[in-house]
């Protein structure tokens, strides 16, 4: 009866997700804004409650499913809910290029030629008029595989009854397991956008920035999971000095991770503001771009104008929007440098923690768990470099637009591979008990420490009292030694 009820509930949720995603495919909305809002709410819940409820991650995953249904419907139908503007060159000033002559005298103009063109809007369409390409269909298939595999593993973690009181492992593991679905959604959105409008690389890159934000959140969840694996609740009665050292070490590692999350969150928020400004008031970016150029080069007089070739080859982008995109690229260069250093610090902090507790973590495959979090970010970064080198060395020139498109398409396929790897890397831990001591074996492999602690307690060892007494005796001996040395020098 329970299985039947559960099956009916899943069918109802799936139908609701499919219906909502289909309805939203007719609505013009910012996919980047929706995804960023979902991630921001997840961070807010985690910060306020101090522990991440598994239901919050499940709601985030449901939101991803709704957006994925929307992307699938838009890709198969060719609909463009926000419209696609078409621009072209219109002649605004003509000049006579050839005259008529009568008995050697110039009379009238025989042929006119355009003397000045302007880039003007010619129309707006809400459908691409073409079906989905094989690239897009394969990207959708790979992303849906990532969703199904991630949903299966997340559901298994929700049904576990082994969770310890230290770690909130269900919520932490669910955050990590949703990483492939997040990357797959962002990549398939980028492929669809570039398939409709190859000029809109800013929107495609912006969605991948949102995926990096969730990857940073997943890295922090991975660290907290390592803490849960290594921190034994039964050993919390250690000496005060050991507890202070442990808290300081954990605080240092967590600071290295939090600064990465904060920076990526700020970059995404700033990019969302820039895209909103570009949509509402793009003409203001032209003057801001000139101001930015004067700030970067204060000793030069710079006049900025669009290249005639770029304007002529542009079909679906406003010239003012190009100024906003160039302005954002100028600002993002600084963020790329800061992001590189903060990401390196965060990765080093996690690796140091993993190295410090290598003995306790060896049974939990931390190497593969780590790649389950940062695999797609690292692969995406290396993939871009490889495609850039191949494009530069290829005998036949490969356009930058195609390299960008190919990179996003490969991420769609790789998200399914990462989700498949997570089935093994994040397999459910097995719960066992120390039969002779009655002490639970925590996921961190703390059974030996717990048994030793129980043995010492039975022997009448009290950690705090004896350690404090030892500390007092040591301090007294050091003071007496210092007085003796001082007296010796004084007598000499």
């Amino acid at each position: 009866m329970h299985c039947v009820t559960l099956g009916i509930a899943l069918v109802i949720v799936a139908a609701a997700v499919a219906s909502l995603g289909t309805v939203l495919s007719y609505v013009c909305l910012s996919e980047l804004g929706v995804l960023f809002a979902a991630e921001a709410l997840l961070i807010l819940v985690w910060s306020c409650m101090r522990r991440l409820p598994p239901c919050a991650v499940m709601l985030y995953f449901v939101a991803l499913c709704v957006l994925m249904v929307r992307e699938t419907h838009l890709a198969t139908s060719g609909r463009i809910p926000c419209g696609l503007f078409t621009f072209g060159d219109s002649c605004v000033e003509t000049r006579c290029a050839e005259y008529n002559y009568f008995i050697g005298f110039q009379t009238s103009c025989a042929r006119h030629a355009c003397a000045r063109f302007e880039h003007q809007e010619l129309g707006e369409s809400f459908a691409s008029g073409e079906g989905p390409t094989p690239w897009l269909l394969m990207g959708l298939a790979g992303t849906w595989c990532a969703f199904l595999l991630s949903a299966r593993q997340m559901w298994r973690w929700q049904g576990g009854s082994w969770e310890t009181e230290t770690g909130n492992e269900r919520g932490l593991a669910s955050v990590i397991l949703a990483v492939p679905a997040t990357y797959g959604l962002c990549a398939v959105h980028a492929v669809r956008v570039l398939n409709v409008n190859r000029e809109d690389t800013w929107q495609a890159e912006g969605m991948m920035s949102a995926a990096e934000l969730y990857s940073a959140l997943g890295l922090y969840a991975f660290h907290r999971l390592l803490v849960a694996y290594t921190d034994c609740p039964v050993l919390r009665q250690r000496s005060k000095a050991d507890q202070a050292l442990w808290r300081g070490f954990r605080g240092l590692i967590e600071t290295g991770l939090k600064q990465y999350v904060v920076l990526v969150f700020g970059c995404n928020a700033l990019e969302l503001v820039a895209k909103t400004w570009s949509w509402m008031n793009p003409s203001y970016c032209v003057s801001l771009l000139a101001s930015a150029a004067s700030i970067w080069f204060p000793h030069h007089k710079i006049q900025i104008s669009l290249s005639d070739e770029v304007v002529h080859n542009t079909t679906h982008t406003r010239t003012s929007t190009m100024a906003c995109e160039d302005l954002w690229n100028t600002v993002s260069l600084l963020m790329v440098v800061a992001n590189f250093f903060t990401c390196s610090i965060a990765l080093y902090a996690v690796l140091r923690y993993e190295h410090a507790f290598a003995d306790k973590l060896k049974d939990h495959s931390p190497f593969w768990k780590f790649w389950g979090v940062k695999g797609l970010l690292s692969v995406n970064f290396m993939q871009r470099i490889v495609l850039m080198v191949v494009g530069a060395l290829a005998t036949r020139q490969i356009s930058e637009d195609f390299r960008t498109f190919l990179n996003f398409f490969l991420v769609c396929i790789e998200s399914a591979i990462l989700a498949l790897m997570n089935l093994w890397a994040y397999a459910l831990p097995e719960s066992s008990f120390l039969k002779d001591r009655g002490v639970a074996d925590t996921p961190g492999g703390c059974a030996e420490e717990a048994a030793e602690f129980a043995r010492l307690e039975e022997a009448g060892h009290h950690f705090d009292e004896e350690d404090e007494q030892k500390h007092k005796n040591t301090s007294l001996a050091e003071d007496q030694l210092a007085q003796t040395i001082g007296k010796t020098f004084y007598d000499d």
Side-chain angles (χ1 to χ4, degrees):
M1 185 63 184
H2 176 71
C3 295
V4 174
T5 305
L6 184 60
I8 294 174
L10 289 177
V11 170
I12 293 175
V13 171
V17 168
S19 301
L20 183 57
T22 303
V23 171
L24 290 179
S25 65
Y26 294 89
V27 180
C28 177
L29 54 83
S30 172
E31 294 84 357
L32 175 60
V34 173
L35 185 58
F36 178 75
E39 295 173 348
L41 285 175
L42 194 62
I43 295 174
L44 180 63
V45 171
W46 197 349
S47 302
C48 294
M49 301 187 66
R50 310 296 296 176
R51 290 168 61 91
L52 186 60
C55 60
V57 187
M58 296 302 293
L59 289 176
Y60 170 79
F61 189 79
V62 169
L64 291 182
C65 293
V66 172
L67 291 177
M68 187 61 197
V69 171
R70 182 179 185 271
E71 289 295 329
T72 304
H73 197 269
L74 292 177
T76 54
S77 64
R79 185 178 296 106
I80 309 173
C82 294
L84 184 65
F85 293 97
T86 302
F87 296 89
D89 294 331
S90 298
C91 183
V92 295
E93 181 181 347
T94 59
R95 190 174 298 174
C96 186
E98 184 179 349
Y99 290 92
N100 293 320
Y101 291 90
F102 180 73
I103 314 179
F105 293 95
Q106 179 177 308
T107 56
S108 60
C109 183
R111 182 174 61 86
H112 290 83
C114 188
R116 186 167 63 90
F117 291 92
E118 278 191 3
H119 202 63
Q120 295 181 347
E121 179 182 338
L122 302 180
E124 182 181 8
S125 60
F126 292 90
S128 61
E130 299 178 1
T133 62
W135 295 88
L136 184 54
L137 291 176
M138 286 188 291
L140 285 171
T143 304
W144 272 116
C145 287
F147 267 79
L148 294 175
L149 292 172
S150 299
R152 175 184 179 274
Q153 194 67 357
M154 289 174 69
W155 183 260
R156 293 185 64 194
W157 274 78
Q158 299 308 312
S161 58
W162 43 264
E163 188 172 37
T164 67
E165 60 183 70
T166 59
N168 186 24
E169 288 90 348
R170 286 193 187 94
L172 298 175
S174 298
V175 170
I176 299 170
L177 292 172
V179 170
T182 303
Y183 265 95
L185 172 65
C186 296
V188 79
H189 172 80
V191 171
R192 181 184 65 82
V193 168
L194 294 178
N195 188 57
V196 174
N197 179 15
R198 62 180 179 83
E199 302 168 7
D200 197 4
T201 55
W202 188 11
Q203 174 66 18
E205 295 287 351
M207 286 296 288
M208 296 308 296
S209 299
E212 184 180 357
L213 172 59
Y214 192 81
S215 178
L217 192 62
L219 184 63
Y220 181 71
F222 172 70
H223 164 69
R224 294 291 296 270
L225 192 61
L226 293 185
V227 172
Y229 285 156
T230 55
D231 186 21
C232 306
V234 74
L235 297 181
R236 289 181 181 176
Q237 302 180 34
R238 290 170 291 193
S239 65
K240 294 181 179 179
D242 290 342
Q243 290 181 10
L245 181 63
W246 167 246
R247 286 194 299 267
F249 179 65
R250 275 186 56 182
L252 182 63
I253 298 297
E254 289 185 1
T255 301
L257 290 163
K258 288 178 180 178
Q259 52 89 30
Y260 178 44
V261 176
V262 170
L263 177 73
V264 180
F265 181 86
C267 292
N268 275 264
L270 188 59
E271 183 171 10
L272 184 61
V273 171
K275 289 187 70 66
T276 304
W277 189 270
S278 174
W279 179 63
M280 297 180 63
N281 190 14
S283 59
Y284 189 65
C285 294
V286 178
S287 58
L288 286 179
L289 187 61
S291 301
S294 62
I295 293 174
W296 280 95
F297 306 100
H299 303 295
H300 295 75
K301 184 181 292 185
I302 301 175
Q303 294 181 350
I304 298 179
S305 60
L306 279 172
S307 170
D308 293 336
E309 182 180 358
V310 172
V311 174
H312 178 72
N313 294 332
T314 300
T315 307
H316 303 293
T317 307
R318 291 189 178 94
T319 54
S320 54
T321 303
M322 296 180 195
C324 293
E325 185 174 353
D326 290 342
L327 183 62
W328 168 252
N329 291 334
T330 303
V331 177
S332 65
L333 289 176
L334 302 176
M335 296 182 180
V336 168
V337 177
N339 188 24
F340 176 80
F341 284 105
T342 55
C343 182
S344 301
I345 293 171
L347 293 176
Y348 179 76
V350 171
L351 292 177
R352 288 305 303 169
Y353 189 93
E354 179 185 336
H355 179 73
F357 296 95
D359 294 337
K360 292 183 179 181
L361 294 171
K362 62 182 179 181
D363 295 331
H364 298 279
S365 305
F367 176 80
W368 296 109
K369 283 181 168 61
F370 174 79
W371 279 102
V373 179
K374 301 303 291 183
L376 280 175
L377 179 64
S378 303
V379 169
N380 184 33
F381 176 75
M382 295 301 300
Q383 215 164 238
R384 289 187 179 189
I385 297 178
V386 171
L387 290 174
M388 191 181 301
V389 173
V390 170
L393 299 179
T395 54
R396 182 180 178 182
Q397 186 177 6
I398 303 176
S399 65
E400 183 179 357
D401 295 335
F402 180 74
R403 294 200 305 267
T404 304
F405 178 87
L406 182 59
N407 179 55
F408 293 141
F409 167 75
L410 292 176
V411 172
C412 294
I413 307 302
E414 291 155 358
S415 64
I417 298 175
L418 182 63
L420 183 63
M421 187 185 74
N422 283 346
L423 295 181
W424 171 74
Y426 286 91
L428 288 176
E430 297 180 359
S431 180
S432 60
F433 296 88
L434 294 178
K435 298 180 180 179
D436 56 340
R437 297 293 178 187
V439 181
D441 182 11
T442 64
C446 300
E448 297 179 0
E449 290 86 346
E452 180 66 16
F453 182 83
R455 185 185 64 79
L456 292 174
E457 265 197 337
E458 289 180 2
H461 185 87
H462 301 285
F463 287 91
D464 286 338
E465 296 178 3
E466 294 192 9
D467 289 338
E468 288 181 5
Q469 187 62 38
K470 288 180 181 178
H471 179 70
K472 291 179 181 179
N473 294 338
T474 304
S475 300
L476 181 60
E478 290 176 350
D479 293 340
Q480 292 177 352
L481 180 62
Q483 291 177 5
T484 303
I485 294 174
K487 185 179 180 180
T488 303
F489 277 101
Y490 180 75
D491 293 340
D492 292 341

